[in-house]
Amino acid sequence: MLGYILRRILATLPVVLAVAVMVFCLLRLTPGDPALILAGDSATPEQLEKIRAHMGLDRSIPTQFLLWGTQVLKGDLGVSLHSGTPVTSMIAARVGPSFALAVSTIVLSVLVAVPLGVFAAWRRGTRVDRGVMAFSVLGFSVPIFVTGYALIMLFSMKLGWLPVQGYKPLSAGIGPFAQHLLLPTVALATGFIALIARIARSSILEVMGEDFIRTARAKGITERAVLVAHALGNAAVPIITVIGISIALLISGVVVTESVFNLPGLGRLVVESVLARDYPLIQGLLLLFSMVYIAVNLLIDILYSVVDPRIRY
Amino acid sequence: MTIGKTSKSWLGRTGAALALTAVATLFNPAGAQTLSVVMASKLTVLDPVLTASHQTRNHGYMIYDTLLATDLDNKIQPQMADKWTISPDGKTYTFTLREGLKFHDGAPVKSEDCIASIQRWAQQDKIGRQVMPLVTEMTPVDDKTFKVVLSKPVDLLTALARPSGLPSFIMPKRVAMTPATQAITDYTGSGPFKFVKAEFQPGVKVVYEKNKDYVPRKEAPSGVAGGKVVNVDRVEWVAMADSMTMVNALTSGEVDYVETVPFDLVPMVKASKGVTVRTLDKLGYQPMYRFNQLQPPFDNKLIRQAAMYAIGQDETLKAQVGDPAYFKTCAAVFGCNLPYSSNKHADMIVPSNIAKAKELLKQAKYDGAPVAILHATDIAMASALPVVMAQELRQAGFNVQLQAMDFMTMLSRRANRDVPAKGGWSIFVTTWHTSEISDPLRNYGISANGEKAWFGWPTVPAIESLRENFLFARTDKERKDIAEQLQDVMLDEGVAVTLGQIVTAAAYSNKLSGVLESPAPVFWNIKKSDAK
């Protein structure tokens, strides 16, 4: 297993390199000039050239890539073209809200969706099952911003229980931290609960028809024990897969949630940096995201072998 | 800001950033009265000379002061200057600084600081670039007095006083010596607020604290002039990407002040209790468009005029703004109801006259050459305008291609001089703050010196010579006459076409009093009541 993990980590290096090259090239092919934004409408061509030179944009694209690549190898992602702030600082300042939101969303989604899916499978064909499925369709179909606004309207504007927007880090206290994170978590988790619950239900139902379940029942084991000890464990692989996909989706899907609840996270930073053509910042963020994707995939692969001993690498 | 710049270790930076929150808590002592503000856009660039961004200008008014300023009636008033004299030949200006001026680091403001600041500003500012070649001498007389000698008499006061995209802010000499195309990293000013660098998060939050050593002028505040008395301890600019969230935060009391409420949300905010909705910036914005005069079909004057007849201000502004309380139609290229306002050619650009447009197209033998309109969909102040313009042009018989894109792409496409089929364009729309276009020198959109002109590249020598005459005009009467002639030529040639004027609505909690009207949002004079 250790050898496998090491091999997988080594295998990520060319992937990261490919991502870096692609991101760098795609950005340079996209129309837009960050110097123009800075210089403003009335800048003379000479002023524009000076600003470009100062930003390093006057150099050839291979030279720019080489410089950036060398910096990245040293752990330095460069500085934002607009604010002059180191990219790593900007990412570090924004990673807290996104990380907190992602973790709370996944935890809430798994805690609610898996039991819900198992319960629906157990009560297949009943009103409970149909109710869970109806919720799944609704939860997956309603856009996050609608859910978000509805939650804000009810819990913040009408009842006044929770803040409308903003983020408080853990250092400000668990109370304020949780208060600010609760609504965005619920809004974002709704879709994931729906997705995971559906997969959990169908996986359990598939397993419930297997011979070993019939054998277990024939041995007189209670239905609860059949579900939890036999069915759930064997249905875990697709559930883990969809949880992994959810984490990956979360990385790219937090933009709307962060905007609606004004969380200063990475999702908003990506949008802002793309609109401003802040090349080093976009490159740094996409590199980070690709590494998270790779790490999540690796983790999921490892988990497969943990939950299903038949899987060996 | 260079790509090759090395920096500290990743771990070090991460640690520093994560420690930001703890620092923020330390910097915000309990009981400090804080004004929480949502500005129209986020602040990322902190150098008010490097960029003409309004948000950077607003930041400048917080931490810097200006030698001169304009009041609400557009009159020039002393600000850091105590007084000034102009020699009878109009060539020598002598400024004397008022007592008590100090930078945030405690150093007194001296003549040499003003000179260095003006020199840096003049490299970037439109009027500064026109005036500086005429300056033969700019020297300190003593620590408090300096003089500017010109080879020809020009109106230097207006250049230094106007609250345009690049106001002439005064910085310490050591900061002002930074090349004008390189961002400053020392944010020491002498203004009524101090920038709290430790709490700055680009795109998230900017924090200012009261400059307790600031000595305000004795006069009442007016516009960006007069006594800048700060009544709160801190001002926090919080960036919000979503308009609805911003409005919810205001009405629920989480923020105190919103610089610009989107027009569609104004009725909702007006209906909220405890909130005042007001237009604080009476000058507002002027949307305008330019033709690409190098390529068909707008290389033909008659076809340009046909388009101008087809496009009506009322229709476009109704789509963009909606409520007539927030827009007015007017032909004035240099701003409605301002000193150089003129109604010349209003019949061509204010109402939509499709019949006349069709007649002119026929006369010009328009062959159906495509009209590509660049449509920047992410600019809230102008995103609806191209849609209506396109429809009106189609009604007149133009073959229109409305090309949607983000603002940055539009900036790049705009520089392409080719035909639309090769990535070029025919019309682009933009928006200026009215203070940026209120005279022929400042209004860059009217430049018409061919290849060297602003995007659209018209060649109209009369315009350039009239602009030069304006620079050297000595009386207001002369200037008004020249501006009138300019409007005539400009619209006849279709150099730059105004789409009227828009004002925005600001909203703030009723806990606030003393909120000032001004062409740039200002936070002095505001008092915040602690009543729930």
Side-chain angles (χ1 to χ4, degrees):
Chain A
M1 176 61 83
L2 196 63
Y4 168 72
I5 294 171
L6 282 174
R7 276 199 308 279
R8 282 291 302 264
I9 289 171
L10 281 175
T12 60
L13 294 177
V15 178
V16 171
L17 182 69
V19 168
V21 174
M22 275 176 65
V23 167
F24 191 90
C25 296
L26 280 174
L27 279 176
R28 292 331 193 259
L29 291 173
T30 312
D33 182 352
L36 258 176
I37 279 269
L38 267 186
D41 269 339
S42 59
T44 60
E46 294 76 30
Q47 285 172 322
L48 209 56
E49 272 319 303
K50 278 185 187 169
I51 292 175
R52 278 203 190 101
H54 188 63
M55 287 175 158
L57 300 172
D58 60 332
R59 297 169 193 175
S60 70
I61 290 179
T63 310
Q64 287 183 43
F65 182 74
L66 209 65
L67 284 170
W68 179 66
T70 317
Q71 277 181 319
V72 170
L73 287 176
K74 289 179 192 162
D76 178 7
L77 296 176
V79 292
S80 157
L81 294 180
H82 291 273
S83 68
T85 314
V87 168
T88 41
S89 296
M90 291 184 80
I91 292 176
R94 301 282 197 106
V95 86
S98 292
F99 182 71
L101 181 61
V103 169
S104 62
T105 301
I106 285 299
V107 168
L108 181 69
S109 301
V110 171
L111 286 182
V112 175
V114 176
L116 210 61
V118 173
F119 193 63
W122 184 33
R123 297 293 172 93
R124 184 187 184 186
T126 64
R127 282 185 187 171
V128 174
D129 182 25
R130 281 197 291 273
V132 171
M133 285 305 97
F135 165 77
S136 290
V137 172
L138 198 70
F140 205 65
S141 312
V142 177
I144 292 171
F145 68 88
V146 173
T147 317
Y149 286 141
L151 290 170
I152 289 172
M153 192 53 72
L154 180 63
F155 293 103
S156 306
M157 305 301 286
K158 292 275 182 210
L159 300 171
W161 292 351
L162 293 164
V164 170
Q165 53 81 42
Y167 173 75
K168 294 279 178 207
L170 258 176
S171 56
I174 289 184
F177 172 73
Q179 275 186 333
H180 283 83
L181 209 58
L182 189 56
L183 290 186
T185 300
V186 173
L188 192 57
T190 309
F192 292 111
I193 290 172
L195 177 71
I196 298 169
R198 276 184 77 93
I199 300 293
R201 177 186 174 275
S202 59
S203 303
I204 295 276
L205 284 176
E206 204 178 311
V207 171
M208 292 294 269
E210 297 284 333
D211 290 346
F212 71 91
I213 295 288
R214 198 164 44 244
T215 309
R217 279 177 175 150
K219 281 160 68 182
I221 296 172
T222 62
E223 195 60 20
R224 184 179 297 176
V226 169
L227 265 176
V228 176
H230 294 271
L232 189 57
N234 284 284
V237 169
I239 298 173
I240 288 172
T241 306
V242 82
I243 291 171
I245 293 169
S246 301
I247 295 171
L249 281 173
L250 256 177
I251 296 167
S252 55
V254 293
V255 178
V256 176
T257 315
E258 286 181 0
S259 295
V260 169
F261 293 97
N262 195 36
L263 300 179
L266 294 174
R268 268 175 59 193
L269 190 61
V270 171
V271 176
E272 289 160 10
S273 59
V274 169
L275 288 175
R277 305 290 191 274
D278 198 335
Y279 298 147
L281 192 49
I282 306 171
Q283 287 158 192
L285 282 162
L286 294 187
L287 209 58
L288 173 77
F289 286 170
S290 65
M291 284 160 77
V292 173
Y293 263 81
I294 291 165
V296 168
N297 273 317
L298 181 60
L299 194 69
I300 297 300
D301 284 354
I302 294 166
L303 272 178
Y304 283 163
S305 64
V306 173
V307 298
D308 188 346
R310 289 170 300 177
I311 300 174
R312 279 288 171 264
Y313 301 104
Chain B
M1 278 177 43
T2 49
I3 278 184
K5 191 173 170 180
T6 55
S7 53
K8 294 175 201 167
S9 73
W10 187 88
L11 272 176
R13 282 193 209 135
T14 308
L18 291 173
L20 204 65
T21 312
V23 173
T25 313
L26 288 173
F27 272 87
N28 191 6
Q33 202 175 40
T34 302
L35 203 61
S36 183
V37 171
V38 182
M39 299 298 277
S41 58
K42 62 187 189 308
L43 177 73
T44 48
V45 182
L46 298 173
D47 185 341
V49 169
L50 193 65
T51 177
S53 143
H54 292 162
Q55 206 49 43
T56 305
R57 172 204 63 185
N58 300 341
H59 161 76
Y61 275 115
M62 296 293 280
I63 68 168
Y64 300 107
D65 216 345
T66 51
L67 198 58
L68 311 171
T70 48
D71 63 17
L72 270 186
D73 299 321
N74 242 342
K75 288 198 179 114
I76 294 166
Q77 302 291 352
Q79 191 54 37
M80 294 172 83
D82 181 37
K83 58 185 180 184
W84 64 82
T85 58
I86 306 170
S87 64
D89 63 0
K91 290 183 183 172
T92 304
Y93 288 72
T94 308
F95 297 95
T96 305
L97 299 174
R98 67 186 167 94
E99 290 300 321
L101 297 177
K102 265 198 272 184
F103 285 113
H104 297 158
D105 58 6
V109 179
K110 294 182 179 175
S111 300
E112 59 182 21
D113 301 308
C114 299
I115 291 170
S117 298
I118 293 170
Q119 281 170 335
R120 184 168 190 261
W121 160 83
Q123 291 173 56
Q124 299 288 86
D125 182 72
K126 290 169 222 166
I127 294 193
R129 288 205 301 258
Q130 293 169 74
V131 168
M132 274 317 270
L134 305 170
V135 173
T136 55
E137 187 188 338
M138 185 152 49
T139 45
V141 175
D142 56 42
D143 277 356
K144 294 275 171 205
T145 310
F146 68 98
K147 65 176 178 180
V148 183
V149 184
L150 300 149
S151 58
K152 276 180 167 183
V154 292
D155 182 11
L156 187 63
L157 298 183
T158 303
L160 294 173
R162 284 280 169 89
S164 69
L166 289 183
S168 177
F169 294 118
I170 303 300
M171 304 170 175
K173 185 182 175 184
R174 66 171 191 280
V175 181
M177 294 304 284
T178 311
T181 50
Q182 189 178 316
I184 57 169
T185 51
D186 177 347
Y187 310 109
T188 306
S190 67
F193 292 93
K194 289 180 181 177
F195 174 64
V196 185
K197 195 176 176 183
E199 292 189 63
F200 176 54
Q201 292 180 68
V204 178
K205 192 166 86 168
V206 195
V207 179
Y208 302 95
E209 60 184 23
K210 178 180 179 173
N211 174 13
K212 289 176 182 153
D213 295 330
Y214 184 76
V215 181
R217 295 191 68 87
K218 299 280 182 261
E219 299 91 339
S222 174
V224 286
K228 299 176 178 179
V229 178
V230 176
N231 298 308
V232 292
D233 301 306
R234 285 163 61 95
V235 176
E236 290 185 5
W237 291 358
V238 186
M240 284 195 200
D242 186 79
S243 305
M244 196 63 232
T245 306
M246 177 179 79
V247 166
N248 285 337
L250 176 72
T251 52
S252 67
E254 288 179 28
V255 298
D256 303 306
Y257 177 113
V258 166
E259 187 196 351
T260 305
V261 180
F263 294 116
D264 55 334
L265 297 179
V266 167
M268 183 195 283
V269 182
K270 276 185 175 169
S272 307
K273 283 180 185 168
V275 176
T276 298
V277 178
R278 242 174 99 193
T279 292
L280 298 172
D281 172 10
K282 302 282 185 192
L283 283 178
Y285 297 83
Q286 187 196 74
M288 55 86 77
Y289 62 94
R290 294 255 288 194
F291 298 106
N292 181 355
Q293 302 207 10
L294 298 182
Q295 301 295 345
F298 294 126
D299 55 348
N300 181 323
K301 180 176 164 179
L302 272 184
I303 296 180
R304 290 198 295 273
Q305 288 185 344
M308 288 154 76
Y309 272 109
I311 295 166
Q313 291 187 355
D314 202 43
E315 293 80 359
T316 47
L317 290 173
K318 267 184 188 155
Q320 178 64 46
V321 181
D323 187 346
Y326 295 105
F327 72 81
K328 57 184 157 197
T329 60
C330 97
V333 173
F334 303 115
C336 314
N337 306 324
L338 287 176
Y340 306 118
S341 179
S342 163
N343 214 25
K344 205 103 184 168
H345 294 299
D347 62 317
M348 185 156 56
I349 65 166
V350 176
S352 171
N353 187 342
I354 301 292
K356 179 75 177 174
K358 283 181 173 170
E359 185 190 319
L360 287 172
L361 279 187
K362 201 172 168 189
Q363 210 178 316
K365 296 181 178 143
Y366 171 60
D367 61 358
V371 171
I373 303 179
L374 303 184
H375 180 201
T377 53
D378 55 339
I379 298 299
M381 195 60 82
S383 59
L385 300 171
V387 181
V388 182
M389 290 167 66
Q391 187 53 30
E392 289 178 326
L393 290 172
R394 283 189 190 112
Q395 282 174 353
F398 282 96
N399 169 20
V400 182
Q401 299 168 352
L402 186 61
Q403 300 182 357
M405 59 196 72
D406 72 335
F407 181 64
M408 278 298 282
T409 305
M410 197 274 269
L411 289 183
S412 287
R413 282 284 304 277
R414 197 175 62 175
N416 188 330
R417 300 175 186 219
D418 223 323
V419 288
K422 291 182 179 172
W425 56 276
S426 312
I427 291 177
F428 81 87
V429 184
T430 192
T431 304
W432 299 96
H433 189 265
T434 306
S435 65
E436 292 167 326
I437 51 94
S438 57
D439 67 52
L441 300 179
R442 205 162 290 267
N443 193 331
Y444 209 65
I446 67 167
S447 63
N449 46 343
E451 300 281 317
K452 288 184 180 169
W454 200 49
F455 308 97
W457 312 282
T459 304
V460 187
I463 288 180
E464 292 308 309
S465 73
L466 281 167
R467 290 179 85 191
E468 197 177 330
N469 293 349
F470 187 92
L471 177 65
F472 297 116
R474 301 295 304 275
T475 67
D476 283 342
K477 166 88 175 57
E478 264 182 88
R479 292 189 190 107
K480 271 184 94 82
D481 287 346
I482 296 168
E484 178 92 5
Q485 291 171 53
L486 265 168
Q487 169 130 351
D488 183 14
V489 183
M490 268 182 51
L491 291 182
D492 181 58
E493 292 287 341
V495 168
V497 190
T498 170
L499 285 165
Q501 211 150 306
I502 295 172
V503 289
T504 56
Y508 54 87
S509 161
N510 288 348
K511 286 181 186 172
L512 306 188
S513 58
V515 178
L516 294 169
E517 288 180 7
S518 170
V522 294
F523 298 96
W524 50 84
N525 203 55
I526 296 180
K527 286 184 179 163
K528 183 177 174 182
S529 142
D530 287 325
K532 296 269 178 188

